[in-house]
Amino acid sequence: MQYVLLALAGIVSGVLGGMGMGGGTLLIPLLTIFFSFNQKVSQGLNLISFSAMALIVLFIHIKNKLIDGKVAVKFAIVAVITSIIGAFIANLVNTKILKIAYGALLILVAIFQAVQEIRTLKNKKQK
């Protein structure tokens, strides 16, 4: 039964990841909260699934001409460098601190999204 639930978690995070919404935002909490995976293991599993999804989705977006090559290369260089730094930091940081930091990040993102939506609704009402 656990394999079925893990597969469902993978499917949902895959759909969200394919839509560009960050499947790991959902996958990591699912793995840590409901399946009792260690935070670092959850992040590693997320990276594996993300890498596979990213290659496929990247191909589709390039095919549909949704990628600006020059911007993508610049962004990729910075992303690779900072992800290497982040990986080293994650190995140095205690798992409990990682959980708290990740939870705080999710809360901040939710607040930011809510504020943006409220502003959008107010602007629509004023027009």
Side-chain angles (χ1 to χ4, degrees):
M1 181 62 173
Q2 186 174 15
Y3 292 115
V4 172
L5 294 174
L6 284 169
L8 283 172
I11 290 168
V12 172
S13 67
V15 169
L16 291 175
M19 292 168 35
M21 296 179 359
T25 305
L26 180 63
L27 185 61
I28 292 173
L30 285 175
L31 293 175
T32 56
I33 296 167
F34 297 108
F35 297 102
S36 301
F37 280 83
N38 177 296
Q39 181 76 18
K40 291 179 183 179
V41 171
S42 296
Q43 288 175 226
L45 289 170
N46 179 62
L47 289 172
I48 290 169
S49 67
F50 172 76
S51 298
M53 286 186 295
L55 289 174
I56 294 166
V57 173
L58 181 62
F59 173 76
I60 293 168
H61 286 324
I62 289 171
K63 183 180 170 190
N64 293 328
K65 297 181 175 36
L66 297 172
I67 304 283
D68 179 341
K70 291 178 184 177
V71 174
V73 168
K74 291 175 186 175
F75 183 78
I77 290 169
V78 174
V80 167
I81 291 168
T82 54
S83 66
I84 291 169
I85 293 167
F88 282 115
I89 293 170
N91 280 325
L92 297 174
V93 176
N94 182 302
T95 301
K96 195 170 204 168
I97 293 171
L98 277 178
K99 275 185 172 184
I100 293 168
Y102 189 72
L105 174 67
L106 291 179
I107 291 168
L108 289 174
V109 168
I111 291 169
F112 177 77
Q113 292 277 325
V115 168
Q116 291 295 91
E117 189 61 27
I118 291 167
R119 285 183 182 163
T120 302
L121 291 173
K122 281 183 181 179
N123 287 339
K124 284 182 180 179
K125 284 183 179 180
Q126 291 176 355
K127 289 183 180 180

